[in-house]
Amino acid sequence: MEWLSFDRRRVDKLVSECWKMGRPPCCSESSDLKKGPWTPEEDEVLTTYIQKHGHESWRALPKRAGLNRCGKSCRLRWINYLRPDIKRGNFSEDEEILIINLHSTLGNNLKKIVNLEHLHYRWSRIASQLPGRTDNEIKNFWNTHVRKKLLKAGIDPKTHQPVPNITFLLDTISKLNLPLKVPAIMSPWINNINDQLLNNLLQFVNMTPLPKPTFLDSQCYMEEMVNQYAINRSEDWMEYVNNVSLEPQSECDSIGASLMGSYGNGTEIPELFTDLKSMSHNLFMENQLPGMSPEEPMNLKNSLESNAFETGFDDYYESLLKI
DNA sequence: AATAGGGTCAACCGCTTGTGT
DNA sequence: CACACAAGCGGTTGACCCTAT
């Protein structure tokens, strides 16, 4: 029970620290300090106090100023809203371009190279280049405007690279003339055709490119999953998958799991199709790929739903290529 | 007119980093 | 070096607003 002891150590540490200090942590839930939107009166009190005394200690500030808020809340309110040099209003086109440029250069600083989930954008560093704008404001602007704009233009907002086009990928696959023992779209994983195609497919499935250092690992991982499943074909396989060192993307898991089902003797095709259908549905209806015409997702979905079970792999594959 | 759904953004939460002792 | 505390940071939430039906 390693995971349990880890959590417990952490919790014990926090609890003992609280007892030692003889007070609850800042902004604890049990505290009766006010939360939520600030009133104009509170703003006035905070502004007046800071203009008169500054903010050398945020923790001590609310008590001295007579505010029933925690220091953290006061700090946020001052920095993001009350500061006199705050520039309010819409972002200009120049600001937007600058944000995108800064995001592409500063944004890819990886805190931990090994895991994309830990990719942190340096909003504060970006904000420091835009006088009067706060990191919070830029972060919101990015998430609500710029991100969507880039996606619409077919650019991955995380990498600033063009997103691979599904039609192009299917066309490429069709030229490879693969045996259709498994759905052709899945073949690259087990046939090891070429790295670029596999990478494109992984990008397509995950919506973002895999980090370069782990790409080959992902390929080996997929192949190893196939081998392990072919050898064991038992519930132990899931245990194996859960214990490998490389963390797979969840979508890859789903494809891998589907692929495993058909790899050994091909008797689990219906399950494979079920997974493919739901996977395709999720990919095309929920995460609509940028750069596609509006009809494409629906066409593919219809094609999958109407053809997959009745006509078998070859027709299914053909129907994909016709889109 | 009512309301469902989506967009926006201020504020919060939890974790990390920096600093002083 | 270890610890305690403050401050900073990025991700997420939820209230509010607008628009389409």
Side-chain angles (χ1 to χ4, degrees), chain A residues 247-305:
Chain A
E247 282 291 323
Q249 300 286 325
S250 58
E251 291 86 349
C252 282
D253 271 349
S254 140
I255 290 176
S258 301
L259 184 56
M260 299 316 112
S262 69
Y263 183 76
N265 54 22
T267 55
E268 292 155 49
I269 287 167
E271 287 82 356
L272 173 61
F273 260 129
T274 308
D275 283 355
L276 272 174
K277 278 173 72 178
S278 65
M279 205 169 69
S280 301
H281 178 84
N282 291 340
L283 277 172
F284 288 96
M285 300 311 291
E286 290 172 22
N287 298 317
Q288 285 196 13
L289 277 177
M292 294 171 73
S293 72
E295 302 80 32
E296 278 185 84
M298 190 53 79
N299 285 346
L300 185 58
K301 180 174 175 283
N302 292 340
S303 171
L304 283 168
E305 288 183 351

Side-chain angles (χ1 to χ4, degrees), chain A residues 53 76 117 247 284 311:
Chain A
H53 303 98
L76 259 288
E117 284 181 21
E247 282 291 323
F284 288 96
T311 55

